Amino acid sequence: MTQLSDIKGFTKPLAANLGKLGISNIQALLLHLPLRYIDETHITAIRDLRINEPAQAEGEVVHAEVIYKPRKALVARLEDASGQLTLRFLHFYPSQIATLKVGAKLRVYGEVRHGFFGYEMVHPTFKAVGVATEVPETLTPVYPTVAGLAQSSIRKAIRIAMKQGDLTETLPADVYAGLKLPGFGESLLALHHPSPEVDLYALEQKTTPHWRRLAFDELLAQQLSMRKHYARRRSVSAPQFMPSRQLVSALLKNLPFALTAAQQKVALEIERDLTQPHPMQRLLQGDVGSGKTIVACMAALQSIENHWQAALMAPTEILAEQHYRKMFTWLNPLNITIAWLTGSQSKKEREFALAAIAEGRAQLVVGTHALFQEAVQFKNLGLAIIDEQHRFGVHQRLALRQKGQPEPHQLMMSATPIPRTLSMSYYADLDVSVIDELPPGRTPVATKLVADIRRDEILQRVREACLQGNQAYWVCPLIEESEALQLATANDTYTLLQEEFPELKVGLVHGRMKPAEKQAVMAAFSAGDIQLLVATTVIEVGVDVPNASLMVIEHAERMGLSQLHQLRGRVGRGANKSTCILLYQNKLSETARARLKVIYESNDGFAIAQADLQIRGPGELLGVRQSGVPMLKIADLERDVDLLETAKSMADHVLQHYPNNVERHLDRWMSSAGEYVKV
Ligand code: ADP
Ligand code: MG
């Protein structure tokens, strides 16, 4: 496809800025659709302007000055035959002062309100006009953009794209016959340059036929892509594992607990998949603490009993180490050899592990990202298990897949629940198992919202809990702008809390520590040698210390809801009544308040993810990178649910009758969609 930088009119900086929006070719640019529109198609006489409504006026500047009270502002009076209008700018450049001089003819667009001197527009857009400057014939689109990329530049770029791009249909007309929707090119034109007669409300709600046409195309592309993934999987062979006869029952016999019904159900689903001649691609979802690890271990044993190696990969060293120790306790009595592989090992340890993996002596390999490095050669990898799969990119997942010949089965685990509507569409190439109950004997975590000014009370509470033999986490605020600042905050908090609690053993763990140091701290906390653990969000995933029953999270309002829920899941793992205290800065915004309310009221990871979805949108929740299937840019699964149904049945129709058109349709829609993986 033509790259933007090869097209006349696209300078390097323009192409680079569009690149930041994920737009690298002309097709993607065509599908970069407006957020909203402004109506500059007619001019309203100043006398007829209406309060609180955006409008366009035109006139001559009769007065202009920079005032300094009550605050610095550039103020001008615009006059037409019917009256006067004040223009007010609180931020302005010298060039704007030059344009807004007495005698200038201006066209201004903005929202009108009552000012001190009558009608006023604050920060209107404006331009100098000549005697006969025409008004545009269509509504002016406002596009999503990035800093440094002006609306006028995007508009110009899209005009070029509309002339040079491919606006033809990718599929025969009968695909659209039942829908009565306009054509592709016509729809694009109507969305980029709508006529002023259009129903603006419907247009901005994306419910006009033109929007629906594009939404349908997008959904259809998504369905086609999923079916291709699915068909690929059916065409690939994988080793077939008989259900385990010995190892799994030996494991379960040694366990100090019985599996929950939900664990048994998902274990059976996985067991069945592994008997199939095609690679399993199963996502095991379960709330924090629902007991996914033991289920994964059972799957590994099925592979091992069939003389194939299994691998378990975790996103952090802390978590991988913890898995390793757990697997060791469970599997050592069964005489299973486990290898351990991370980036922080000594060369000797690493070579030893690599040899054991290559020769097949290592029956199970536990590790971090180090597992899919090139030097790692398995003798026969039969099952790859990926914990906290949303932490890995789709390419990393694929890399592990390529470590086996034939393709290994894959089990992915996640505690970040994906609401059902999403899992059906984004994860349609995966089968999903859900552990929907927690092991018995857990007392739910009590959540408290406390304003930061009551910090002293909280400190007292931490002291009491620790002196009574419990353990506590103190989670430092997330500082997204700067990792260095985050680190400094963690160090400061650590020092302060050490001073505050001379009678307690306080520890610190953060993402920048050497893995060995991190492990030492976590081990000391696990063993109870540390009572209060100051931590950055590195403890978010998977760490399991049952005796920890109190958690304080600072600046909770800065964190994502699912993240808070995961953090909170670190406590409430033992028999003790657990509490999670969310400290917030006073003066919460409306949204921050709504979000914290959700986490306060709900202990249900699915409900929380659903709320997160509503507040932040699916991109944030899944991360475009992680989903493996492109995100929807136009369609909305709730609003366009009828189109989704049609797209599902039409996808089959297209594959059956027009298989040769599929690639073209996918190219149009998928080439612009993040990390789309061609199969
Ligand atoms: P997660 O699903 O968050 O990964 P884990 O697998 O770490 O959860 O399990 C959390 C804790 O619960 C572990 O200590 C684990 O040994 C324990 N556990 C798992 N299943 C059960 C069960 N059926 N009954 C009691 N405890 C269990
Ligand atoms: Mg886990």
Side-chain angles (χ1 to χ4, degrees):
M1 209 168 290
T2 321
Q3 294 304 299
L4 289 181
S5 42
D6 299 337
I7 302 170
K8 198 166 166 279
F10 287 79
T11 60
K12 274 223 172 72
L14 176 60
N17 275 325
L18 289 169
K20 286 186 207 152
L21 289 167
I23 299 170
S24 62
N25 58 49
I26 204 151
Q27 202 55 256
L29 183 55
L30 281 175
L31 294 173
H32 188 63
L33 292 163
L35 281 174
R36 57 191 178 84
Y37 302 88
I38 50 186
D39 187 351
E40 297 175 321
T41 60
H42 55 267
I43 289 163
T44 309
I46 290 177
R47 188 185 48 209
D48 298 335
L49 289 173
R50 287 216 291 241
I51 297 299
N52 292 336
E53 277 182 25
Q56 182 168 248
E58 191 172 300
E60 190 179 317
V61 177
V62 291
H63 178 84
E65 68 174 322
V66 175
I67 60 163
Y68 293 89
K69 277 188 182 149
R71 56 181 287 198
K72 191 172 171 200
L74 169 61
V75 178
R77 301 277 295 163
L78 191 74
E79 185 181 81
D80 71 3
S82 71
Q84 285 196 356
L85 169 71
T86 303
L87 312 176
R88 186 180 299 272
F89 299 84
L90 303 173
H91 325 280
F92 49 91
Y93 301 107
S95 63
Q96 292 174 312
I97 303 180
T99 313
L100 283 160
K101 59 178 193 294
V102 172
K105 280 213 52 146
L106 293 186
R107 188 172 291 171
V108 301
Y109 183 93
E111 196 163 303
V112 184
R113 51 180 223 187
H114 274 302
F116 194 68
F117 303 105
Y119 283 170
E120 178 170 297
M121 283 184 186
V122 179
H123 286 192
T125 56
F126 63 93
K127 59 173 177 246
V129 286
V131 193
T133 306
E134 286 179 9
V135 289
E137 285 171 11
T138 57
L139 299 184
T140 310
V142 180
Y143 293 99
T145 188
V146 290
L149 182 58
Q151 285 296 332
S152 55
S153 307
I154 304 189
R155 286 176 194 144
K156 212 173 103 201
I158 283 179
R159 277 184 197 283
I160 299 176
M162 286 297 288
K163 286 210 189 80
Q164 301 195 4
D166 174 11
L167 302 180
T168 59
E169 297 292 328
T170 51
L171 297 167
D174 68 315
V175 172
Y176 302 93
L179 288 163
K180 305 209 167 49
L181 293 175
F184 177 74
E186 182 194 336
S187 297
L188 277 187
L189 187 66
L191 295 178
H192 285 300
H193 307 295
S195 114
E197 274 81 57
V198 74
D199 174 353
L200 195 61
Y201 181 78
L203 190 64
E204 297 195 336
Q205 295 297 309
K206 302 193 180 175
T207 54
T208 61
H210 299 117
W211 277 114
R212 281 172 56 79
R213 162 60 206 254
L214 297 186
F216 176 76
D217 271 359
E218 184 181 36
L219 289 167
L220 185 59
Q222 193 190 39
Q223 291 298 320
L224 288 169
S225 151
M226 285 168 185
R227 279 165 175 68
K228 280 185 64 184
H229 274 93
Y230 188 80
R232 185 207 71 90
R233 189 142 58 93
R234 295 282 119 185
S235 70
V236 170
S237 56
Q240 279 176 278
F241 303 153
M242 288 298 101
S244 159
R245 301 216 179 279
Q246 283 140 24
L247 293 177
V248 169
S249 48
L251 169 79
L252 295 179
K253 214 172 78 214
N254 289 346
L255 282 183
F257 53 79
L259 295 184
T260 61
Q263 284 172 315
Q264 287 173 13
K265 182 192 70 182
V266 301
L268 202 64
E269 287 166 355
I270 295 167
E271 183 188 83
R272 260 193 238 122
D273 277 3
L274 294 179
T275 64
Q276 297 302 306
H278 306 295
M280 169 173 81
Q281 298 270 336
R282 189 169 280 276
L283 176 66
L284 175 57
Q285 283 183 7
D287 209 345
V288 188
S290 59
K292 295 184 287 296
T293 321
I294 187 73
V295 174
C297 184
M298 292 164 67
L301 286 181
Q302 189 176 347
S303 176
I304 292 167
E305 194 167 314
N306 283 272
H307 307 291
W308 287 81
Q309 292 170 295
L312 169 56
M313 185 168 74
T316 66
E317 295 248 348
I318 292 183
L319 192 55
E321 154 98 18
Q322 187 164 307
H323 279 324
Y324 176 73
R325 277 197 270 128
K326 193 150 247 177
M327 293 296 156
F328 191 84
T329 5
W330 284 340
L331 301 185
N332 194 46
L334 309 181
N335 287 319
I336 299 213
T337 311
I338 311 178
W340 163 243
L341 202 66
T342 70
S344 66
Q345 279 169 314
S346 72
K347 197 163 171 244
K348 212 169 132 200
E349 286 173 312
R350 183 177 158 75
E351 273 165 8
F352 183 79
L354 286 179
I357 297 167
E359 290 158 21
R361 273 180 289 121
Q363 294 160 286
L364 174 66
V365 187
V366 180
T368 57
H369 300 73
L371 276 185
F372 42 60
Q373 283 158 6
E374 229 169 278
V376 186
Q377 300 285 344
F378 288 83
K379 176 153 180 270
N380 62 348
L381 180 64
L383 169 67
I385 304 167
I386 303 173
D387 197 13
E388 307 292 345
Q389 69 91 23
H390 59 284
R391 293 292 183 109
F392 293 97
V394 74
H395 292 298
Q396 295 174 310
R397 253 165 44 191
L398 292 179
L400 198 55
R401 182 196 270 179
Q402 278 143 18
K403 289 284 180 198
Q405 194 51 255
E407 191 172 311
H409 297 280
Q410 271 196 73
L411 178 64
M412 286 149 272
M413 304 197 280
S414 179
T416 300
I418 291 124
R420 208 176 142 62
T421 44
L422 278 183
S423 71
M424 280 190 317
S425 43
Y426 294 123
Y427 286 88
D429 65 323
L430 302 183
D431 298 306
V432 181
S433 289
V434 181
I435 306 186
D436 53 7
E437 77 182 305
L438 292 180
R442 302 261 167 87
T443 40
V445 181
T447 302
K448 296 199 155 52
L449 295 178
V450 180
D452 196 56
I453 41 169
R454 288 170 55 201
R455 213 181 169 80
D456 284 348
E457 283 167 53
I458 302 308
L459 290 171
Q460 189 51 29
R461 206 172 157 151
V462 169
R463 183 188 328 264
E464 279 163 21
C466 289
L467 290 178
Q468 281 166 14
N470 296 313
Q471 289 171 278
Y473 294 100
W474 190 288
V475 183
C476 298
L478 178 74
I479 299 172
E480 276 178 349
E481 307 86 281
S482 151
E483 201 190 353
L485 205 57
Q486 174 145 352
L487 197 60
T489 314
N491 277 320
D492 289 351
T493 312
Y494 175 54
T495 314
L496 279 174
L497 291 178
Q498 269 180 320
E499 283 166 12
E500 179 73 32
F501 303 123
E503 68 276 48
L504 300 180
K505 277 284 249 179
V506 184
L508 171 66
V509 62
H510 59 69
R512 272 309 177 88
M513 279 160 80
K514 291 216 181 75
E517 292 172 333
K518 248 191 277 189
Q519 280 158 32
V521 175
M522 288 314 296
F525 190 58
S526 275
D529 296 338
I530 289 174
Q531 291 155 298
L532 175 60
L533 183 63
V534 178
T536 54
T537 48
V538 294
I539 58 154
E540 182 193 339
V541 282
V543 176
D544 190 21
V545 180
N547 192 46
S549 61
L550 177 62
M551 173 175 284
V552 179
I553 305 177
E554 283 199 75
H555 273 289
E557 77 278 3
R558 289 188 192 166
M559 291 186 201
L561 291 188
S562 290
Q563 190 178 26
L564 282 173
H565 181 65
Q566 294 244 322
L567 278 169
R568 178 170 65 180
R570 301 305 112 215
V571 292
R573 303 205 140 205
N576 277 336
K577 177 113 188 70
S578 294
T579 308
C580 177
I581 297 173
L582 306 178
L583 283 179
Y584 63 86
Q585 239 22 39
N586 281 354
K587 289 221 182 117
L588 284 181
S589 72
E590 197 83 7
T591 3
R593 195 183 306 271
R595 298 175 71 231
L596 286 181
K597 189 158 169 274
V598 171
I599 203 86
Y600 172 70
E601 286 175 352
S602 178
N603 241 317
D604 172 349
F606 280 78
I608 290 170
Q610 189 83 50
D612 226 6
L613 180 71
Q614 268 156 16
I615 302 172
R616 297 197 298 168
E620 287 282 321
L621 183 64
L622 294 174
V624 179
R625 296 218 148 61
Q626 283 86 356
S627 69
V629 180
M631 306 297 295
L632 296 168
K633 291 209 290 195
I634 297 170
D636 177 296
L637 295 174
E638 271 170 39
R639 183 190 60 218
D640 301 320
V641 65
D642 62 317
L643 293 179
L644 177 62
E645 289 312 313
T646 315
K648 280 180 182 165
S649 59
M650 268 309 146
D652 293 326
H653 177 81
V654 169
L655 282 169
Q656 199 184 342
H657 297 283
Y658 310 113
N660 298 332
N661 296 52
V662 170
E663 214 46 52
R664 220 185 127 210
H665 191 71
L666 287 181
D667 269 349
R668 169 171 286 170
W669 284 94
M670 300 300 183
S671 63
S672 61
E675 273 193 67
Y676 169 58
V677 182
K678 274 211 170 175
V679 291

